[in-house]
Amino acid sequence: ATSVQSTMRPLQASLMRIAAISVRHLVVLLRSWPRLVESVYMPTATLTQWVIFKNYLSAQSLPTLGSTLLVSYLMWEIIFRFKQGTVMSLFTEMWGRALPQLFTTPLTPLEMMFGCFIVGLVRAVLGIGIAVAVALGAGWSDYIDLRGSVLVVTVFALMSSAAVSLIMSGVILRWGIAAEILSWALVLTLAPLSGVLYPISALPLGLQWVSALLPTTYVFDCVRELLATGAIMDGTLSMVAATASAWLV
């Protein structure tokens, strides 16, 4: 019993430090209307445009294409918002020059990252949740039929985003604020290589080899298979799970 208690106490202390970092950033988010608007408005406005575009393609007898583009954009928005929320939390600490003070406490870099992950997840759920609600009101009726499978793909999208966030956070902690531009450059590079709006077979052969190493590539393969056949092949699910897990490790 004594050894169990001695193990639980450090674990409880670690969880409390993670919760403290999360609450610290969530309080700032909830008390800042510009941050709330930025978290909600952009995904809502853009997703609504994609719904309208999807409805237009459906009217032109291209319903599958419209739905594929729409769900692909939704997955990309989830990846981007989760990554942005995580990395921006870290940048906030760096801009306020708070990291040296934080790391003089028992807080570890891993606990810091878990706290930032929670903030990124809350921001993504807040922004995407409201955007999806608005999109449903704008006529995205087929989402109701796909929601179970889309949720499975969403889990892998979040895993992929977490892996990218970890890599970027490591770069930021190593090189500081000077690496800020890299967080945006990586996203701009990741989007075309992942085949958000097209299969990676459309890329040059050399880039296809690079794309095959990215977990996000298989996220969008899952979307295309789901919309084309109504199901996701086991091989594709295995690949997205394997690559996302490997990147996280």
Side-chain angles (χ1 to χ4, degrees):
T2 304
S3 68
V4 171
Q5 289 178 353
S6 62
T7 303
M8 287 300 295
R9 285 170 186 162
L11 177 60
Q12 290 173 350
S14 178
L15 292 176
M16 288 180 66
R17 290 191 290 270
I18 293 172
I21 286 294
S22 303
V23 171
R24 169 185 170 90
H25 287 280
L26 291 176
V27 168
V28 173
L29 173 65
L30 296 176
R31 292 187 176 183
S32 173
W33 67 264
R35 293 172 188 251
L36 284 174
V37 169
E38 187 273 335
S39 297
V40 174
Y41 173 75
M42 289 302 296
T44 301
T46 312
L47 187 63
T48 301
Q49 293 182 61
W50 277 98
V51 170
I52 295 171
F53 183 52
K54 177 260 180 190
N55 292 339
Y56 168 76
L57 291 177
S58 297
Q60 303 300 315
S61 301
L62 296 170
T64 302
L65 175 60
S67 296
T68 302
L69 293 175
L70 177 56
V71 178
S72 294
Y73 168 76
L74 177 63
M75 290 300 113
W76 175 250
E77 194 68 20
I78 290 171
I79 292 171
F80 175 75
R81 293 293 161 184
F82 183 35
K83 172 262 174 192
Q84 185 187 42
T86 301
V87 174
M88 289 304 292
S89 298
L90 189 58
F91 274 131
T92 299
E93 301 291 3
M94 300 190 74
W95 291 329
R97 303 188 182 278
L99 280 183
Q101 288 81 5
L102 287 173
F103 287 133
T104 58
T105 70
L107 181 72
T108 66
L110 187 60
E111 291 168 348
M112 178 74 183
M113 284 312 307
F114 273 115
C116 291
F117 278 157
I118 293 173
V119 177
L121 182 61
V122 170
R123 293 186 65 165
V125 170
L126 178 65
I128 301 301
I130 294 176
V132 169
V134 173
L136 290 174
W140 189 17
S141 57
D142 54 353
Y143 173 78
I144 298 175
D145 299 327
L146 300 172
R147 64 185 184 279
S149 300
V150 169
L151 287 176
V152 173
V153 181
T154 299
V155 171
F156 291 120
L158 290 172
M159 289 177 61
S160 303
S161 184
V164 174
S165 300
L166 269 179
I167 294 172
M168 283 310 310
S169 298
V171 172
I172 293 166
L173 289 173
R174 174 61 181 84
W175 281 285
I177 297 179
E180 179 180 358
I181 187 64
L182 293 178
S183 69
W184 300 104
L186 179 62
V187 173
L188 294 176
T189 304
L190 193 64
L193 289 177
S194 300
V196 178
L197 302 178
Y198 46 78
I200 62 170
S201 58
L203 295 172
L205 184 59
L207 293 180
Q208 291 182 34
W209 286 100
V210 176
S211 297
L213 301 175
L214 302 176
T216 47
T217 298
Y218 303 103
V219 169
F220 297 108
D221 282 346
C222 287
V223 171
R224 281 185 283 271
E225 289 180 6
L226 175 62
L227 271 299
T229 66
I232 304 172
M233 295 176 59
D234 292 340
T236 307
L237 282 175
S238 299
M239 286 301 298
V240 67
T243 52
S245 300
W247 274 58
L248 278 173
V249 173

